[in-house]
Amino acid sequence: MIIRNLKDTIKTEDHKQTEAWDSVRLLLAKDGMGFGFHITTMYANTETEIEYKHHLECAFCISGEAEIIDVKSKTKHLITPGSLYALNEHDRHIVRCKKDFVIACVFAPGLIGNETHDAAGSYPKAHEGTKSC
């Protein structure tokens, strides 16, 4: 059994911050669950283009507001508290935050913990031997 508290993970090696977002990574590949779990805050008035080529992501909005734009179709979706979005086809997308946007995220496979987006908006491929769902 794994028990963790958000406040105990802040400012540790499992907490990653950039100018546009802050991600507290509570469950990682090393935990052997086959997926990861993060609480991420994307900051108001930011726009981030992302394409997870090697991971699937599901995000549930806890607070705030953002527009998710599917780059391929140009479709826009307003995400507010209680909404979920899932990137089930490695969808290239833009997250345009109107307010601080707090989401609970599940990644499959789980991240190692220190990753940040590369120039293409992706995380590196999972290391060999990393368990996937």
Side-chain angles (χ1 to χ4, degrees):
M1 184 180 297
I2 300 167
I3 308 292
R4 298 210 171 100
N5 189 294
L6 181 70
K7 67 177 173 49
D8 296 333
T9 307
I10 293 173
K11 304 293 184 201
T12 70
E13 64 185 14
D14 297 334
H15 181 195
K16 184 70 178 168
Q17 296 175 285
T18 72
E19 289 182 14
W21 52 264
D22 176 296
S23 181
V24 183
R25 296 161 178 189
L26 293 163
L27 198 61
L28 297 164
K30 66 185 175 187
D31 295 309
M33 297 289 296
F35 61 90
F37 181 81
H38 312 176
I39 299 295
T40 299
T41 301
M42 300 183 81
Y43 303 127
N45 304 313
T46 62
E47 183 174 297
T48 306
E49 189 164 341
I50 308 167
E51 180 181 15
Y52 296 122
K53 296 177 182 180
H54 311 292
H55 298 83
L56 297 175
E57 181 195 25
C58 175
F60 177 81
C61 179
I62 297 169
S63 66
E65 183 176 305
E67 187 174 60
I68 307 298
I69 304 157
D70 180 321
V71 171
K72 185 176 179 180
S73 71
K74 308 280 191 265
T75 304
K76 297 178 183 182
H77 306 276
L78 182 63
I79 306 297
T80 57
S83 299
L84 172 139
Y85 65 94
L87 305 166
N88 59 325
E89 295 183 5
H90 306 281
D91 313 88
R92 185 163 196 78
H93 63 288
I94 297 168
V95 181
R96 186 175 292 146
C97 299
K98 299 176 182 198
K99 301 176 182 178
D100 280 356
F101 183 55
V102 181
I103 49 180
C105 305
V106 176
F107 279 89
L111 299 184
I112 301 304
N114 62 350
E115 297 95 329
T116 189
H117 301 128
D118 63 19
S122 191
Y123 290 131
K125 190 172 184 175
H127 295 292
E128 211 171 295
T130 301
K131 186 177 176 183
S132 186
C133 298

